[in-house]
Amino acid sequence: MITISNLKKQFGETIASDIASFTINDGDILGLVGNNGAGKSTLFRIMLDLLKPDAGSVSYTFPTLGVSINPAESEEWKWQVGAYLDEGFLIDFLTPEEYFAFLGKVSGKTQAEVDERLKDFERLCADEIFGHKKLIRNLSAGNKQKVGIISALFNKPNTIILDEPFNFLDPSSQNMLKHLLTEYNKETGATILISSHNLAHTVDISSRIALLEHGRIVRDIDNAGGAAAQELENYFDNV
């Protein structure tokens, strides 16, 4: 479970986050939607302790640990959360093989275990990422995106945070990613948070959608059976 309490972040006169109370339940697939400047990326950066709030807090309660953890005060959460926000999360002077070997070594995996885990992503990679001796920085934008997404899922975390994961992916890869995330959620019960401008994909995979406007969550929508689609369409037609 993720609990947000009295969270505030402001840049000059711009309110980037102003959330009095919000809870994300274990197993939710939560889609964050909103126009540019709504505060989606800011919220994710605060949740990952990459940005300090002006006030308030975010805390995680993981089923395996059973205690509430504030990411600003403890390192334990890092082994439970997988995230990819942008290319800054990658080590781009490595090849994909070297990068995942490094991630495996950090997390105590053997090379055989790394290779076995990467088999789960063969369809998403589409034979375009591994075996080409390319540095990550020389990959296409779409393939960098795939490396980042795989790195977020690599250690089978309890919570996954992805910022605009459908960006740069071709239609086939977008569909594969939707399947990958929903199956991962079903198999592990993991909590998944995505922000996206692609409303159709967000509605397709989310169990719940939070609509942000000027840093505030203005609607918390149950998306059972894709019920949020019409409400979102009406909202964005009138903004």
Side-chain angles (χ1 to χ4, degrees), residues 128-165:
E128 295 178 344
I129 293 174
F130 299 109
H132 298 284
K133 298 181 180 180
K134 275 190 176 182
L135 301 180
I136 291 173
R137 66 185 173 213
N138 294 329
L139 296 176
S140 69
N143 285 334
K144 288 178 188 175
Q145 187 85 343
K146 291 178 184 180
V147 171
I149 291 166
I150 294 167
S151 70
L153 294 163
F154 182 70
N155 284 316
K156 297 187 176 179
N158 172 272
T159 300
I160 297 165
I161 298 174
L162 300 173
D163 195 6
E164 297 288 354

PDB file of all heavy atoms in Angstrom, residues 128-165:
ATOM      1  N   GLU A 128      15.785  -7.104 -31.217  1.00  0.00           N
ATOM      2  CA  GLU A 128      16.348  -5.808 -31.608  1.00  0.00           C
ATOM      3  C   GLU A 128      17.315  -5.236 -30.574  1.00  0.00           C
ATOM      4  O   GLU A 128      17.969  -4.229 -30.847  1.00  0.00           O
ATOM      5  CB  GLU A 128      15.213  -4.797 -31.826  1.00  0.00           C
ATOM      6  CG  GLU A 128      14.295  -5.137 -32.989  1.00  0.00           C
ATOM      7  CD  GLU A 128      13.166  -4.137 -33.114  1.00  0.00           C
ATOM      8  OE1 GLU A 128      12.923  -3.395 -32.146  1.00  0.00           O
ATOM      9  OE2 GLU A 128      12.526  -4.094 -34.172  1.00  0.00           O
ATOM     10  N   ILE A 129      17.403  -5.855 -29.403  1.00  0.00           N
ATOM     11  CA  ILE A 129      18.160  -5.257 -28.301  1.00  0.00           C
ATOM     12  C   ILE A 129      19.430  -6.029 -27.982  1.00  0.00           C
ATOM     13  O   ILE A 129      20.518  -5.447 -27.875  1.00  0.00           O
ATOM     14  CB  ILE A 129      17.262  -5.138 -27.046  1.00  0.00           C
ATOM     15  CG1 ILE A 129      16.157  -4.111 -27.321  1.00  0.00           C
ATOM     16  CG2 ILE A 129      18.082  -4.737 -25.809  1.00  0.00           C
ATOM     17  CD1 ILE A 129      15.120  -4.003 -26.245  1.00  0.00           C
ATOM     18  N   PHE A 130      19.313  -7.320 -27.844  1.00  0.00           N
ATOM     19  CA  PHE A 130      20.465  -8.131 -27.447  1.00  0.00           C
ATOM     20  C   PHE A 130      21.157  -8.741 -28.666  1.00  0.00           C
ATOM     21  O   PHE A 130      20.540  -8.996 -29.698  1.00  0.00           O
ATOM     22  CB  PHE A 130      20.023  -9.238 -26.483  1.00  0.00           C
ATOM     23  CG  PHE A 130      19.413  -8.713 -25.213  1.00  0.00           C
ATOM     24  CD1 PHE A 130      18.047  -8.834 -24.966  1.00  0.00           C
ATOM     25  CD2 PHE A 130      20.202  -8.070 -24.268  1.00  0.00           C
ATOM     26  CE1 PHE A 130      17.484  -8.345 -23.800  1.00  0.00           C
ATOM     27  CE2 PHE A 130      19.643  -7.568 -23.095  1.00  0.00           C
ATOM     28  CZ  PHE A 130      18.286  -7.702 -22.865  1.00  0.00           C
ATOM     29  N   GLY A 131      22.456  -8.948 -28.528  1.00  0.00           N
ATOM     30  CA  GLY A 131      23.216  -9.621 -29.572  1.00  0.00           C
ATOM     31  C   GLY A 131      23.691  -8.737 -30.697  1.00  0.00           C
ATOM     32  O   GLY A 131      24.198  -9.227 -31.715  1.00  0.00           O
ATOM     33  N   HIS A 132      23.569  -7.415 -30.542  1.00  0.00           N
ATOM     34  CA  HIS A 132      23.961  -6.501 -31.609  1.00  0.00           C
ATOM     35  C   HIS A 132      25.194  -5.661 -31.263  1.00  0.00           C
ATOM     36  O   HIS A 132      25.619  -4.828 -32.059  1.00  0.00           O
ATOM     37  CB  HIS A 132      22.784  -5.585 -31.957  1.00  0.00           C
ATOM     38  CG  HIS A 132      21.584  -6.322 -32.465  1.00  0.00           C
ATOM     39  ND1 HIS A 132      21.509  -6.838 -33.736  1.00  0.00           N
ATOM     40  CD2 HIS A 132      20.417  -6.651 -31.861  1.00  0.00           C
ATOM     41  CE1 HIS A 132      20.342  -7.438 -33.903  1.00  0.00           C
ATOM     42  NE2 HIS A 132      19.658  -7.339 -32.778  1.00  0.00           N
ATOM     43  N   LYS A 133      25.729  -5.849 -30.066  1.00  0.00           N
ATOM     44  CA  LYS A 133      26.943  -5.163 -29.616  1.00  0.00           C
ATOM     45  C   LYS A 133      26.807  -3.637 -29.679  1.00  0.00           C
ATOM     46  O   LYS A 133      27.773  -2.918 -29.917  1.00  0.00           O
ATOM     47  CB  LYS A 133      28.161  -5.624 -30.427  1.00  0.00           C
ATOM     48  CG  LYS A 133      28.451  -7.113 -30.276  1.00  0.00           C
ATOM     49  CD  LYS A 133      29.680  -7.533 -31.063  1.00  0.00           C
ATOM     50  CE  LYS A 133      29.949  -9.022 -30.883  1.00  0.00           C
ATOM     51  NZ  LYS A 133      31.136  -9.469 -31.639  1.00  0.00           N
ATOM     52  N   LYS A 134      25.587  -3.161 -29.475  1.00  0.00           N
ATOM     53  CA  LYS A 134      25.342  -1.715 -29.467  1.00  0.00           C
ATOM     54  C   LYS A 134      25.322  -1.203 -28.040  1.00  0.00           C
ATOM     55  O   LYS A 134      24.762  -1.840 -27.150  1.00  0.00           O
ATOM     56  CB  LYS A 134      23.985  -1.400 -30.114  1.00  0.00           C
ATOM     57  CG  LYS A 134      23.997  -1.271 -31.607  1.00  0.00           C
ATOM     58  CD  LYS A 134      22.643  -0.719 -32.064  1.00  0.00           C
ATOM     59  CE  LYS A 134      22.632  -0.484 -33.567  1.00  0.00           C
ATOM     60  NZ  LYS A 134      21.332   0.107 -33.994  1.00  0.00           N
ATOM     61  N   LEU A 135      25.910  -0.029 -27.832  1.00  0.00           N
ATOM     62  CA  LEU A 135      25.758   0.629 -26.547  1.00  0.00           C
ATOM     63  C   LEU A 135      24.317   1.114 -26.406  1.00  0.00           C
ATOM     64  O   LEU A 135      23.650   1.432 -27.400  1.00  0.00           O
ATOM     65  CB  LEU A 135      26.710   1.818 -26.434  1.00  0.00           C
ATOM     66  CG  LEU A 135      28.210   1.525 -26.582  1.00  0.00           C
ATOM     67  CD1 LEU A 135      28.997   2.826 -26.433  1.00  0.00           C
ATOM     68  CD2 LEU A 135      28.681   0.490 -25.571  1.00  0.00           C
ATOM     69  N   ILE A 136      23.841   1.189 -25.179  1.00  0.00           N
ATOM     70  CA  ILE A 136      22.463   1.639 -24.947  1.00  0.00           C
ATOM     71  C   ILE A 136      22.233   3.018 -25.554  1.00  0.00           C
ATOM     72  O   ILE A 136      21.186   3.289 -26.133  1.00  0.00           O
ATOM     73  CB  ILE A 136      22.136   1.631 -23.438  1.00  0.00           C
ATOM     74  CG1 ILE A 136      22.082   0.192 -22.925  1.00  0.00           C
ATOM     75  CG2 ILE A 136      20.830   2.354 -23.154  1.00  0.00           C
ATOM     76  CD1 ILE A 136      21.941   0.064 -21.426  1.00  0.00           C
ATOM     77  N   ARG A 137      23.240   3.899 -25.481  1.00  0.00           N
ATOM     78  CA  ARG A 137      23.055   5.253 -26.004  1.00  0.00           C
ATOM     79  C   ARG A 137      22.876   5.273 -27.522  1.00  0.00           C
ATOM     80  O   ARG A 137      22.385   6.262 -28.080  1.00  0.00           O
ATOM     81  CB  ARG A 137      24.218   6.145 -25.602  1.00  0.00           C
ATOM     82  CG  ARG A 137      25.559   5.782 -26.191  1.00  0.00           C
ATOM     83  CD  ARG A 137      26.641   6.666 -25.611  1.00  0.00           C
ATOM     84  NE  ARG A 137      27.981   6.268 -26.019  1.00  0.00           N
ATOM     85  CZ  ARG A 137      29.053   6.396 -25.253  1.00  0.00           C
ATOM     86  NH1 ARG A 137      28.945   6.905 -24.041  1.00  0.00           N
ATOM     87  NH2 ARG A 137      30.231   6.018 -25.682  1.00  0.00           N
ATOM     88  N   ASN A 138      23.261   4.191 -28.193  1.00  0.00           N
ATOM     89  CA  ASN A 138      23.129   4.123 -29.651  1.00  0.00           C
ATOM     90  C   ASN A 138      21.873   3.372 -30.098  1.00  0.00           C
ATOM     91  O   ASN A 138      21.649   3.221 -31.302  1.00  0.00           O
ATOM     92  CB  ASN A 138      24.369   3.458 -30.252  1.00  0.00           C
ATOM     93  CG  ASN A 138      25.616   4.296 -30.055  1.00  0.00           C
ATOM     94  OD1 ASN A 138      25.543   5.525 -30.014  1.00  0.00           O
ATOM     95  ND2 ASN A 138      26.758   3.645 -29.901  1.00  0.00           N
ATOM     96  N   LEU A 139      21.065   2.927 -29.151  1.00  0.00           N
ATOM     97  CA  LEU A 139      19.810   2.279 -29.498  1.00  0.00           C
ATOM     98  C   LEU A 139      18.781   3.331 -29.916  1.00  0.00           C
ATOM     99  O   LEU A 139      18.899   4.509 -29.587  1.00  0.00           O
ATOM    100  CB  LEU A 139      19.262   1.495 -28.299  1.00  0.00           C
ATOM    101  CG  LEU A 139      20.088   0.310 -27.780  1.00  0.00           C
ATOM    102  CD1 LEU A 139      19.424  -0.264 -26.528  1.00  0.00           C
ATOM    103  CD2 LEU A 139      20.254  -0.760 -28.845  1.00  0.00           C
ATOM    104  N   SER A 140      17.750   2.889 -30.618  1.00  0.00           N
ATOM    105  CA  SER A 140      16.646   3.791 -30.947  1.00  0.00           C
ATOM    106  C   SER A 140      15.922   4.193 -29.667  1.00  0.00           C
ATOM    107  O   SER A 140      16.049   3.540 -28.616  1.00  0.00           O
ATOM    108  CB  SER A 140      15.665   3.094 -31.887  1.00  0.00           C
ATOM    109  OG  SER A 140      14.992   2.046 -31.202  1.00  0.00           O
ATOM    110  N   ALA A 141      15.141   5.255 -29.748  1.00  0.00           N
ATOM    111  CA  ALA A 141      14.391   5.710 -28.573  1.00  0.00           C
ATOM    112  C   ALA A 141      13.464   4.616 -28.054  1.00  0.00           C
ATOM    113  O   ALA A 141      13.328   4.419 -26.840  1.00  0.00           O
ATOM    114  CB  ALA A 141      13.591   6.960 -28.915  1.00  0.00           C
ATOM    115  N   GLY A 142      12.842   3.877 -28.970  1.00  0.00           N
ATOM    116  CA  GLY A 142      11.946   2.803 -28.567  1.00  0.00           C
ATOM    117  C   GLY A 142      12.667   1.681 -27.847  1.00  0.00           C
ATOM    118  O   GLY A 142      12.167   1.139 -26.856  1.00  0.00           O
ATOM    119  N   ASN A 143      13.848   1.325 -28.335  1.00  0.00           N
ATOM    120  CA  ASN A 143      14.596   0.243 -27.706  1.00  0.00           C
ATOM    121  C   ASN A 143      15.215   0.672 -26.372  1.00  0.00           C
ATOM    122  O   ASN A 143      15.332  -0.139 -25.445  1.00  0.00           O
ATOM    123  CB  ASN A 143      15.656  -0.300 -28.655  1.00  0.00           C
ATOM    124  CG  ASN A 143      15.052  -1.161 -29.750  1.00  0.00           C
ATOM    125  OD1 ASN A 143      13.981  -1.739 -29.558  1.00  0.00           O
ATOM    126  ND2 ASN A 143      15.713  -1.246 -30.891  1.00  0.00           N
ATOM    127  N   LYS A 144      15.583   1.934 -26.250  1.00  0.00           N
ATOM    128  CA  LYS A 144      15.994   2.437 -24.930  1.00  0.00           C
ATOM    129  C   LYS A 144      14.830   2.323 -23.945  1.00  0.00           C
ATOM    130  O   LYS A 144      15.007   1.941 -22.781  1.00  0.00           O
ATOM    131  CB  LYS A 144      16.439   3.900 -25.028  1.00  0.00           C
ATOM    132  CG  LYS A 144      17.759   4.133 -25.709  1.00  0.00           C
ATOM    133  CD  LYS A 144      18.051   5.633 -25.772  1.00  0.00           C
ATOM    134  CE  LYS A 144      19.275   5.919 -26.618  1.00  0.00           C
ATOM    135  NZ  LYS A 144      19.487   7.377 -26.791  1.00  0.00           N
ATOM    136  N   GLN A 145      13.641   2.672 -24.439  1.00  0.00           N
ATOM    137  CA  GLN A 145      12.454   2.587 -23.589  1.00  0.00           C
ATOM    138  C   GLN A 145      12.240   1.152 -23.117  1.00  0.00           C
ATOM    139  O   GLN A 145      11.931   0.901 -21.949  1.00  0.00           O
ATOM    140  CB  GLN A 145      11.234   3.084 -24.370  1.00  0.00           C
ATOM    141  CG  GLN A 145       9.965   3.196 -23.552  1.00  0.00           C
ATOM    142  CD  GLN A 145       9.868   4.515 -22.811  1.00  0.00           C
ATOM    143  OE1 GLN A 145      10.867   5.216 -22.644  1.00  0.00           O
ATOM    144  NE2 GLN A 145       8.683   4.854 -22.358  1.00  0.00           N
ATOM    145  N   LYS A 146      12.432   0.207 -24.006  1.00  0.00           N
ATOM    146  CA  LYS A 146      12.259  -1.202 -23.635  1.00  0.00           C
ATOM    147  C   LYS A 146      13.284  -1.634 -22.591  1.00  0.00           C
ATOM    148  O   LYS A 146      12.951  -2.341 -21.635  1.00  0.00           O
ATOM    149  CB  LYS A 146      12.361  -2.090 -24.881  1.00  0.00           C
ATOM    150  CG  LYS A 146      11.200  -1.943 -25.847  1.00  0.00           C
ATOM    151  CD  LYS A 146      11.400  -2.824 -27.070  1.00  0.00           C
ATOM    152  CE  LYS A 146      10.302  -2.631 -28.096  1.00  0.00           C
ATOM    153  NZ  LYS A 146      10.483  -3.488 -29.284  1.00  0.00           N
ATOM    154  N   VAL A 147      14.521  -1.212 -22.762  1.00  0.00           N
ATOM    155  CA  VAL A 147      15.562  -1.550 -21.778  1.00  0.00           C
ATOM    156  C   VAL A 147      15.173  -0.993 -20.409  1.00  0.00           C
ATOM    157  O   VAL A 147      15.301  -1.682 -19.386  1.00  0.00           O
ATOM    158  CB  VAL A 147      16.933  -1.007 -22.220  1.00  0.00           C
ATOM    159  CG1 VAL A 147      17.959  -1.155 -21.090  1.00  0.00           C
ATOM    160  CG2 VAL A 147      17.431  -1.747 -23.465  1.00  0.00           C
ATOM    161  N   GLY A 148      14.679   0.234 -20.385  1.00  0.00           N
ATOM    162  CA  GLY A 148      14.273   0.838 -19.125  1.00  0.00           C
ATOM    163  C   GLY A 148      13.115   0.107 -18.471  1.00  0.00           C
ATOM    164  O   GLY A 148      13.115  -0.134 -17.255  1.00  0.00           O
ATOM    165  N   ILE A 149      12.123  -0.262 -19.256  1.00  0.00           N
ATOM    166  CA  ILE A 149      10.963  -0.989 -18.726  1.00  0.00           C
ATOM    167  C   ILE A 149      11.385  -2.353 -18.191  1.00  0.00           C
ATOM    168  O   ILE A 149      10.972  -2.774 -17.098  1.00  0.00           O
ATOM    169  CB  ILE A 149       9.886  -1.133 -19.820  1.00  0.00           C
ATOM    170  CG1 ILE A 149       9.273   0.244 -20.137  1.00  0.00           C
ATOM    171  CG2 ILE A 149       8.801  -2.115 -19.389  1.00  0.00           C
ATOM    172  CD1 ILE A 149       8.466   0.280 -21.412  1.00  0.00           C
ATOM    173  N   ILE A 150      12.229  -3.053 -18.951  1.00  0.00           N
ATOM    174  CA  ILE A 150      12.706  -4.358 -18.486  1.00  0.00           C
ATOM    175  C   ILE A 150      13.491  -4.222 -17.193  1.00  0.00           C
ATOM    176  O   ILE A 150      13.360  -5.039 -16.274  1.00  0.00           O
ATOM    177  CB  ILE A 150      13.564  -5.034 -19.584  1.00  0.00           C
ATOM    178  CG1 ILE A 150      12.698  -5.363 -20.803  1.00  0.00           C
ATOM    179  CG2 ILE A 150      14.243  -6.299 -19.053  1.00  0.00           C
ATOM    180  CD1 ILE A 150      13.498  -5.746 -22.039  1.00  0.00           C
ATOM    181  N   SER A 151      14.297  -3.168 -17.088  1.00  0.00           N
ATOM    182  CA  SER A 151      15.072  -2.974 -15.859  1.00  0.00           C
ATOM    183  C   SER A 151      14.156  -2.748 -14.663  1.00  0.00           C
ATOM    184  O   SER A 151      14.464  -3.179 -13.538  1.00  0.00           O
ATOM    185  CB  SER A 151      16.050  -1.801 -16.024  1.00  0.00           C
ATOM    186  OG  SER A 151      15.375  -0.558 -16.069  1.00  0.00           O
ATOM    187  N   ALA A 152      13.018  -2.083 -14.876  1.00  0.00           N
ATOM    188  CA  ALA A 152      12.072  -1.855 -13.779  1.00  0.00           C
ATOM    189  C   ALA A 152      11.434  -3.156 -13.299  1.00  0.00           C
ATOM    190  O   ALA A 152      11.128  -3.315 -12.118  1.00  0.00           O
ATOM    191  CB  ALA A 152      10.990  -0.872 -14.217  1.00  0.00           C
ATOM    192  N   LEU A 153      11.248  -4.094 -14.215  1.00  0.00           N
ATOM    193  CA  LEU A 153      10.604  -5.374 -13.890  1.00  0.00           C
ATOM    194  C   LEU A 153      11.600  -6.462 -13.504  1.00  0.00           C
ATOM    195  O   LEU A 153      11.210  -7.506 -12.967  1.00  0.00           O
ATOM    196  CB  LEU A 153       9.799  -5.858 -15.096  1.00  0.00           C
ATOM    197  CG  LEU A 153       8.588  -5.017 -15.497  1.00  0.00           C
ATOM    198  CD1 LEU A 153       8.148  -5.360 -16.918  1.00  0.00           C
ATOM    199  CD2 LEU A 153       7.442  -5.246 -14.536  1.00  0.00           C
ATOM    200  N   PHE A 154      12.858  -6.210 -13.765  1.00  0.00           N
ATOM    201  CA  PHE A 154      13.904  -7.240 -13.738  1.00  0.00           C
ATOM    202  C   PHE A 154      13.951  -8.035 -12.436  1.00  0.00           C
ATOM    203  O   PHE A 154      14.040  -9.265 -12.440  1.00  0.00           O
ATOM    204  CB  PHE A 154      15.253  -6.568 -14.001  1.00  0.00           C
ATOM    205  CG  PHE A 154      16.425  -7.494 -14.053  1.00  0.00           C
ATOM    206  CD1 PHE A 154      16.595  -8.386 -15.095  1.00  0.00           C
ATOM    207  CD2 PHE A 154      17.375  -7.459 -13.049  1.00  0.00           C
ATOM    208  CE1 PHE A 154      17.680  -9.233 -15.145  1.00  0.00           C
ATOM    209  CE2 PHE A 154      18.476  -8.298 -13.086  1.00  0.00           C
ATOM    210  CZ  PHE A 154      18.626  -9.192 -14.137  1.00  0.00           C
ATOM    211  N   ASN A 155      13.891  -7.358 -11.305  1.00  0.00           N
ATOM    212  CA  ASN A 155      14.014  -8.037 -10.011  1.00  0.00           C
ATOM    213  C   ASN A 155      12.668  -8.423  -9.399  1.00  0.00           C
ATOM    214  O   ASN A 155      12.577  -8.699  -8.199  1.00  0.00           O
ATOM    215  CB  ASN A 155      14.798  -7.164  -9.031  1.00  0.00           C
ATOM    216  CG  ASN A 155      16.283  -7.184  -9.326  1.00  0.00           C
ATOM    217  OD1 ASN A 155      16.867  -8.229  -9.590  1.00  0.00           O
ATOM    218  ND2 ASN A 155      16.913  -6.013  -9.291  1.00  0.00           N
ATOM    219  N   LYS A 156      11.625  -8.447 -10.212  1.00  0.00           N
ATOM    220  CA  LYS A 156      10.279  -8.820  -9.779  1.00  0.00           C
ATOM    221  C   LYS A 156       9.847  -8.037  -8.538  1.00  0.00           C
ATOM    222  O   LYS A 156       9.540  -8.614  -7.488  1.00  0.00           O
ATOM    223  CB  LYS A 156      10.196 -10.329  -9.527  1.00  0.00           C
ATOM    224  CG  LYS A 156      10.445 -11.156 -10.779  1.00  0.00           C
ATOM    225  CD  LYS A 156      10.203 -12.636 -10.556  1.00  0.00           C
ATOM    226  CE  LYS A 156      10.375 -13.408 -11.852  1.00  0.00           C
ATOM    227  NZ  LYS A 156      10.163 -14.874 -11.671  1.00  0.00           N
ATOM    228  N   PRO A 157       9.815  -6.705  -8.649  1.00  0.00           N
ATOM    229  CA  PRO A 157       9.489  -5.876  -7.481  1.00  0.00           C
ATOM    230  C   PRO A 157       8.014  -5.956  -7.103  1.00  0.00           C
ATOM    231  O   PRO A 157       7.160  -6.342  -7.907  1.00  0.00           O
ATOM    232  CB  PRO A 157       9.860  -4.472  -7.944  1.00  0.00           C
ATOM    233  CG  PRO A 157       9.650  -4.517  -9.423  1.00  0.00           C
ATOM    234  CD  PRO A 157      10.077  -5.889  -9.844  1.00  0.00           C
ATOM    235  N   ASN A 158       7.739  -5.524  -5.893  1.00  0.00           N
ATOM    236  CA  ASN A 158       6.369  -5.463  -5.386  1.00  0.00           C
ATOM    237  C   ASN A 158       5.601  -4.296  -5.990  1.00  0.00           C
ATOM    238  O   ASN A 158       4.382  -4.354  -6.157  1.00  0.00           O
ATOM    239  CB  ASN A 158       6.410  -5.329  -3.858  1.00  0.00           C
ATOM    240  CG  ASN A 158       5.057  -5.065  -3.244  1.00  0.00           C
ATOM    241  OD1 ASN A 158       4.633  -3.925  -3.119  1.00  0.00           O
ATOM    242  ND2 ASN A 158       4.367  -6.125  -2.861  1.00  0.00           N
ATOM    243  N   THR A 159       6.323  -3.218  -6.316  1.00  0.00           N
ATOM    244  CA  THR A 159       5.711  -2.003  -6.853  1.00  0.00           C
ATOM    245  C   THR A 159       6.492  -1.537  -8.073  1.00  0.00           C
ATOM    246  O   THR A 159       7.724  -1.538  -8.057  1.00  0.00           O
ATOM    247  CB  THR A 159       5.711  -0.879  -5.791  1.00  0.00           C
ATOM    248  OG1 THR A 159       4.970  -1.312  -4.646  1.00  0.00           O
ATOM    249  CG2 THR A 159       5.098   0.401  -6.338  1.00  0.00           C
ATOM    250  N   ILE A 160       5.768  -1.157  -9.121  1.00  0.00           N
ATOM    251  CA  ILE A 160       6.390  -0.700 -10.359  1.00  0.00           C
ATOM    252  C   ILE A 160       5.863   0.686 -10.688  1.00  0.00           C
ATOM    253  O   ILE A 160       4.653   0.929 -10.631  1.00  0.00           O
ATOM    254  CB  ILE A 160       6.089  -1.667 -11.522  1.00  0.00           C
ATOM    255  CG1 ILE A 160       6.691  -3.042 -11.245  1.00  0.00           C
ATOM    256  CG2 ILE A 160       6.616  -1.117 -12.838  1.00  0.00           C
ATOM    257  CD1 ILE A 160       6.156  -4.116 -12.143  1.00  0.00           C
ATOM    258  N   ILE A 161       6.778   1.599 -11.033  1.00  0.00           N
ATOM    259  CA  ILE A 161       6.411   2.964 -11.386  1.00  0.00           C
ATOM    260  C   ILE A 161       7.003   3.282 -12.760  1.00  0.00           C
ATOM    261  O   ILE A 161       8.221   3.234 -12.944  1.00  0.00           O
ATOM    262  CB  ILE A 161       6.937   3.967 -10.333  1.00  0.00           C
ATOM    263  CG1 ILE A 161       6.296   3.680  -8.966  1.00  0.00           C
ATOM    264  CG2 ILE A 161       6.660   5.405 -10.771  1.00  0.00           C
ATOM    265  CD1 ILE A 161       6.849   4.530  -7.832  1.00  0.00           C
ATOM    266  N   LEU A 162       6.140   3.599 -13.710  1.00  0.00           N
ATOM    267  CA  LEU A 162       6.573   3.873 -15.083  1.00  0.00           C
ATOM    268  C   LEU A 162       5.964   5.181 -15.573  1.00  0.00           C
ATOM    269  O   LEU A 162       4.741   5.363 -15.511  1.00  0.00           O
ATOM    270  CB  LEU A 162       6.148   2.735 -16.021  1.00  0.00           C
ATOM    271  CG  LEU A 162       6.677   1.331 -15.707  1.00  0.00           C
ATOM    272  CD1 LEU A 162       6.018   0.303 -16.620  1.00  0.00           C
ATOM    273  CD2 LEU A 162       8.192   1.280 -15.856  1.00  0.00           C
ATOM    274  N   ASP A 163       6.816   6.070 -16.051  1.00  0.00           N
ATOM    275  CA  ASP A 163       6.372   7.370 -16.567  1.00  0.00           C
ATOM    276  C   ASP A 163       6.328   7.304 -18.095  1.00  0.00           C
ATOM    277  O   ASP A 163       7.354   7.095 -18.744  1.00  0.00           O
ATOM    278  CB  ASP A 163       7.338   8.462 -16.096  1.00  0.00           C
ATOM    279  CG  ASP A 163       6.774   9.860 -16.279  1.00  0.00           C
ATOM    280  OD1 ASP A 163       5.598   9.985 -16.671  1.00  0.00           O
ATOM    281  OD2 ASP A 163       7.497  10.833 -16.026  1.00  0.00           O
ATOM    282  N   GLU A 164       5.149   7.458 -18.659  1.00  0.00           N
ATOM    283  CA  GLU A 164       4.937   7.422 -20.113  1.00  0.00           C
ATOM    284  C   GLU A 164       5.578   6.183 -20.761  1.00  0.00           C
ATOM    285  O   GLU A 164       6.377   6.299 -21.709  1.00  0.00           O
ATOM    286  CB  GLU A 164       5.493   8.696 -20.761  1.00  0.00           C
ATOM    287  CG  GLU A 164       4.800   9.976 -20.313  1.00  0.00           C
ATOM    288  CD  GLU A 164       3.391  10.126 -20.867  1.00  0.00           C
ATOM    289  OE1 GLU A 164       2.985   9.287 -21.695  1.00  0.00           O
ATOM    290  OE2 GLU A 164       2.687  11.055 -20.444  1.00  0.00           O
ATOM    291  N   PRO A 165       5.238   4.986 -20.302  1.00  0.00           N
ATOM    292  CA  PRO A 165       5.910   3.789 -20.820  1.00  0.00           C
ATOM    293  C   PRO A 165       5.605   3.478 -22.279  1.00  0.00           C
ATOM    294  O   PRO A 165       6.370   2.737 -22.922  1.00  0.00           O
ATOM    295  CB  PRO A 165       5.393   2.673 -19.902  1.00  0.00           C
ATOM    296  CG  PRO A 165       4.057   3.169 -19.433  1.00  0.00           C
ATOM    297  CD  PRO A 165       4.238   4.652 -19.274  1.00  0.00           C
TER     298      PRO A 165
END
